[in-house]
Amino acid sequence: EKSNRIVEILVATVKPQSLMLGKIIGIGLSAFLQFLLWLFIVSIGLYFMRETVFVDIYDAANVADSANSHAYNQFVELVFERIQFSSMISYFLLFFAVGYLFYGALFAALGAVTGSESDGQQFLLPLIALLLFALYSGYYVLNNPESPMAQFYQYLPFTAPVVVMVKLAMGYPEGQEYQLFVSLLILISSTIIVLLMAGRLYKNGLLQFGHSVKLRQILQWIKMK
C-alpha cells in the first residue's frame, strides 16, 4: 500500500492509528480462526484415540513391569489426565492475543517508517530473529526450568508468551503461581507502550517516501504528537 501510494487514499478517509489497529486486529482474527480450527481437529483426534486406541490404559492385564508398558501408561496419563486443557487453552488465548499485539505493533511500525521495500526487508530480519529467539527460549526453559535465565525469559516481553506456556505445562511450584500474573502484567504494560509508540510512528512516518531509515528520525517521530 505504501509503495504504490494507495495508503494516501486510505489515510484521507481514516486516521493512521485506526488503519494500523484495523490491519493488526484483522490479521489477528484470521490467526484466531486458524487456531480454533486446529483446536477442533485436535479435540476430535484426542477423543477418537481415547475411545479406540487407548481404551485399555487402566486394564490390569496391560500393566506390566516392562519399561515400554510404563512409558506407554505415563504418556497416555499425561495427555488425557494430567494436562488441564481448559486452563491451558484459556491462558494460551490470553497470552497469544497480548503477544500478537506486541509483535504486530512492532511489524506495523517498521512498515510505516521504511521508505522503500528494500529497507523494510533489511530491518525485518532483527524482528524475525526475536521470534526465533522466543522459540529457543521455550526450548531452553523446558530443559532448565529452575535456572536464573528461565526466570528472566519469563518476564521478558519478547519471550514471555512462549516461556509462560512452557512453564504452565510443566506446572508452577506451589506458592509461585504469582509469577504467571506478574509476567502477564509486564507483557500487557509493554504492549500498551509499544502500541502507543507504533501509533505515533504510523501517523508521522506513513506518508514519508524515498528516505532511508535512521534512528534519529524515528526518535523524532516518536516524540511528535
Side-chain angles (χ1 to χ4, degrees), residues 40-151:
F40 174 76
I41 295 174
V42 171
S43 300
I44 295 297
L46 289 176
Y47 176 79
F48 175 78
M49 287 192 297
R50 187 184 184 103
E51 296 298 319
T52 58
V53 181
F54 300 128
V55 292
D56 57 350
I57 173 179
Y58 296 115
D59 189 347
N62 295 318
V63 180
D65 293 333
S66 65
N68 291 335
S69 177
H70 181 66
Y72 167 83
N73 283 276
Q74 276 193 327
F75 170 76
V76 178
E77 181 186 2
L78 172 65
V79 173
F80 292 101
E81 300 294 336
R82 290 167 55 188
I83 296 180
Q84 300 179 0
F85 286 102
S86 59
S87 176
M88 287 286 294
I89 292 173
S90 300
Y91 282 112
F92 173 82
L93 291 175
L94 183 59
F95 274 90
F96 174 82
V98 182
Y100 171 79
L101 288 175
F102 179 82
Y103 275 102
L106 291 177
F107 278 94
L110 175 64
V113 300
T114 53
S116 63
E117 290 189 17
S118 58
D119 286 342
Q121 295 295 329
Q122 176 183 354
F123 287 93
L124 187 63
L125 293 178
L127 288 181
I128 295 178
L130 283 177
L131 289 171
L132 294 176
F133 176 70
L135 294 176
Y136 165 77
S137 67
Y139 176 78
Y140 176 85
V141 172
L142 184 63
N143 292 279
N144 306 276
E146 301 300 329
S147 65
M149 289 303 298
Q151 298 296 323

Side-chain angles (χ1 to χ4, degrees), residues 95 102 137 141 147-164 167 172 175-188 190:
F95 274 90
F102 179 82
S137 67
V141 172
S147 65
M149 289 303 298
Q151 298 296 323
F152 175 72
Y153 289 152
Q154 180 179 211
Y155 300 125
L156 188 66
F158 297 100
T159 57
V162 176
V163 172
V164 168
K167 292 183 69 68
Y172 279 91
Q176 297 185 14
E177 296 86 355
Y178 70 92
Q179 296 178 4
L180 186 151
F181 300 101
V182 173
S183 177
L184 179 61
L185 180 61
I186 294 175
L187 181 59
I188 291 176
S190 303

Side-chain angles (χ1 to χ4, degrees), residues 17 196-206 208 216-225:
Q17 294 91 337
L196 292 175
M197 294 174 58
R200 289 192 177 183
L201 291 174
Y202 219 80
K203 176 182 178 181
N204 299 315
L206 189 60
Q208 304 293 330
R216 181 179 179 182
Q217 190 175 39
I218 292 176
L219 294 176
Q220 289 179 347
W221 285 343
I222 292 176
K223 294 178 182 179
M224 295 173 59
K225 295 184 178 180

